[in-house]
């Protein structure tokens, strides 16, 4: 019952974040570049709640975004799913209280996500190869996403902990290690 | 204190007080044009509490009236509530009519601009969040007869085409998207060119003209329209005007930058071309 409740609440949070992205964040682009709150949320959840939660959250976030305004279904879903899995897989090397490691995670995630988008655009949709634009997107979005991390760190990490407590994996592992 | 205690002094004081009272009666008893400072001060001090007393008494009096007329007021209240309800309903009707009027106005403007098109008007309800795509979501879908690859326009010019649709919504790929390309024609000189979107210029609603024939130079203000080739867009829809011509050492690589006719940042309503007539009056379904 508790798991179901947490899953449903996570779904609602994802929907709210996507709505916030479309209706609020997209209306305040910095030099034409919008941030991506999804990357920040998936990273935080994956770090705190592990690869399973990260993968599922990434997939659900991506699939809703694809269904709402994506060009192809599963494109963003797969991308975010991989992101959630990879970060969750290496979460033991990331200290949640260490600011520098969190900044590094967001920077690397933004670079990886936008580079994948760039490659998909070139290969699948035959978009022109505009490396300058890729560099512009990455450099501006990193700062914007870090700003979002600064604002949303506490709520995202708190929710990640709630998810983790439901799964009971991270805490049990932590106790075993002690 | 001894002085005050003495009987004599007390008697003298009493006499002085009585004399003062008589004197003040004598001074103030007649007709006067102005009041003294002391009176004025006293009246001012009393004015505030007196005002409060009057206010309270009025309230009490009116309450009595209120309690007397409570039934009448209840009826009046009911009538006013009914009136508010009616006015609210009228307001909703008015909003609906206003919205319809807006849609019809856009339809009329679009029809006036492009007489040969049968269009469906829709509202833009969301724009894509991805830095790599320019996709809009509109509030009309297959229930309104919309199908993929239908051209989308406004009265100003070309917007793009329908990428996909479900029952009640459709996704529109804008011409400023980097993966979009439109077969176009210069309005004056009639050469066929290719107009492509670009990530670097999409935020300023600018697109790039490529495949320009050798020897052709465009000037600022030259306009472009759809050529009708490619199978999606009917010909003659305005795309944009030249803002910059870039000459390269290899003339085959010359490009021009167009400012789109449509302002994509203020896109609220669009018209989807459901069918259109060709020059020979043959109706084509998009």
């Amino acid at each position: 019952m508790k798991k179901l409740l947490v899953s449903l609440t996570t779904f609602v949070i994802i929907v709210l974040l996507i709505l916030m992205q479309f209706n609020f964040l997209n209306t305040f682009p910095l030099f034409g570049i919008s941030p991506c709150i999804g990357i920040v949320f998936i990273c935080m959840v994956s770090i705190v709640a592990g690869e399973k939660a990260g993968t599922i959250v990434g997939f659900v976030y991506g699939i809703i975004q694809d269904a709402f305004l994506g060009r192809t279904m599963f494109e963003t879903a797969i991308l975010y799913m991989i992101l959630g899995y990879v970060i969750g897989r290496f979460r033991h090397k990331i200290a949640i209280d260490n600011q520098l490691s969190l900044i590094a995670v967001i920077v690397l995630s933004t670079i990886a996500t936008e580079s994948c988008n760039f490659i998909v655009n070139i290969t699948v949709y035959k978009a022109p190869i505009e490396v300058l634009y890729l560099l512009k997107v990455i450099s501006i979005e990193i700062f914007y996403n870090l700003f979002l991390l600064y604002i949303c760190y506490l709520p995202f990490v708190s929710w990640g902990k709630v998810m983790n407590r439901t799964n009971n994996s991270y805490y049990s592992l932590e106790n075993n290690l002690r | 204190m001894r002085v005050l205690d003495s009987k004599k002094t007390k008697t003298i004081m009493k006499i002085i007080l009585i004399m003062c009272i008589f004197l003040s009666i004598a001074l103030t008893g007649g007709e006067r044009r102005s009041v003294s400072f002391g009176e004025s001060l006293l009246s001012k001090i009393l004015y505030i509490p007196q005002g409060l007393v009057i206010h309270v008494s009025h309230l009490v009096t009116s309450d009595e009236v209120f309690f007397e007329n409570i039934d009448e007021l209840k009826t009046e209240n009911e009538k006013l509530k009914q009136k508010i309800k009616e006015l609210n309903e009228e307001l909703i009707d008015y909003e609906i009519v206003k919205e319809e009027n807006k849609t019809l106005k856009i339809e009329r403007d679009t029809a006036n601009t492009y007489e040969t098109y049968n269009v469906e008007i829709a509202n833009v309800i969301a724009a894509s969040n991805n830095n790599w795509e320019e996709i809009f979501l509109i509030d009309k879908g297959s229930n309104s007869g919309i199908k993929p690859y239908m051209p989308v326009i406004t009265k100003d010019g070309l917007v793009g085409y329908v990428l996909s649709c479900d029952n009640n919504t459709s996704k529109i790929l804008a011409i400023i998207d980097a993966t979009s390309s439109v077969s176009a024609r210069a309005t004056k000189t009639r050469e066929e060119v290719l107009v492509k979107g670009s990530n670097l210029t999409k935020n300023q609603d600018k697109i790039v003209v490529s495949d320009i024939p050798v020897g052709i130079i465009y000037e600022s203000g030259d306009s472009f329209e759809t050529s009708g080739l490619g199978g999606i867009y009917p010909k003659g829809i305005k795309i944009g005007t030249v803002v910059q011509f870039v000459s390269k050492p290899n003339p085959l690589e010359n490009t021009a930058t167009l400012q789109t006719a449509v302002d994509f940042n203020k896109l609220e309503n669009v018209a989807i071309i459901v069918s259109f007539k060709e020059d020979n009056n043959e109706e084509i379904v998009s």
Side-chain angles (χ1 to χ4, degrees), chain A residues 126-140:
Chain A
K126 313 290 176 207
I129 303 166
E130 292 166 325
V131 183
L132 267 179
Y133 183 72
L134 173 69
L135 296 175
K136 182 188 170 186
V137 169
I138 287 173
S139 53
I140 295 171

Side-chain angles (χ1 to χ4, degrees), chain B residues 166-178:
Chain B
D166 58 27
N167 290 345
N168 298 310
T169 57
S170 304
K171 289 173 194 168
I172 310 294
L173 184 73
I175 54 166
I176 53 170
D177 187 279

Side-chain angles (χ1 to χ4, degrees), chain B residues 34-172:
Chain B
S34 61
V35 289
S36 66
F37 173 74
E39 286 172 279
S40 167
L41 187 69
L42 278 173
S43 69
K44 272 178 188 166
I45 291 167
L46 288 171
Y47 179 79
I48 297 165
Q50 174 62 18
L52 277 174
V53 170
I54 292 291
H55 186 69
V56 170
S57 69
H58 277 287
L59 273 179
V60 171
T61 321
S62 62
D63 275 353
E64 280 171 5
V65 174
F66 174 77
F67 287 121
E68 278 170 16
N69 302 329
I70 195 155
D71 289 337
E72 198 181 307
L73 286 168
K74 264 186 183 174
T75 326
E76 198 180 337
N77 192 29
E78 284 303 317
K79 273 184 191 171
L80 286 171
K81 273 184 184 171
Q82 185 62 31
K83 188 80 182 166
I84 289 170
K85 199 180 164 190
E86 282 171 18
L87 285 171
N88 275 337
E89 279 168 7
E90 272 178 29
L91 191 69
I92 291 166
D93 288 345
Y94 167 74
E95 287 295 332
I96 292 167
V97 170
K98 200 177 156 188
E99 199 57 38
E100 271 177 7
N101 186 35
K102 195 178 162 190
T103 311
L104 287 168
K105 201 177 165 190
I106 295 162
E107 219 163 53
R108 186 203 62 195
D109 287 350
T110 315
N112 285 345
T113 318
Y114 305 104
E115 286 172 357
T116 51
Y117 304 148
N118 176 19
V119 296
E120 185 72 44
I121 304 295
N123 294 312
V124 175
I125 51 175
S128 69
N129 72 326
N130 195 319
N131 289 322
W132 302 94
E133 290 168 351
E134 286 299 324
I135 296 172
F136 296 95
L137 194 69
I138 56 165
D139 62 352
K140 293 268 173 80
S142 53
N143 284 348
S144 306
I146 292 165
K147 289 173 193 164
Y149 299 108
M150 281 183 169
V152 182
I153 56 169
T154 68
K155 66 180 172 55
D156 299 320
L158 186 66
V159 174
Y161 70 91
V162 178
L163 198 63
S164 61
C165 54
D166 58 27
N167 290 345
N168 298 310
T169 57
S170 304
K171 289 173 194 168
I172 310 294

Side-chain angles (χ1 to χ4, degrees), chain A residues 159-177:
Chain A
W159 188 250
K161 282 178 180 169
V162 172
M163 288 173 77
N164 195 39
R165 250 175 250 136
T166 323
N167 286 334
N168 212 18
S169 58
Y170 183 70
Y171 279 92
S172 57
L173 180 78
E174 210 173 38
N175 289 335
N176 287 339
L177 285 173

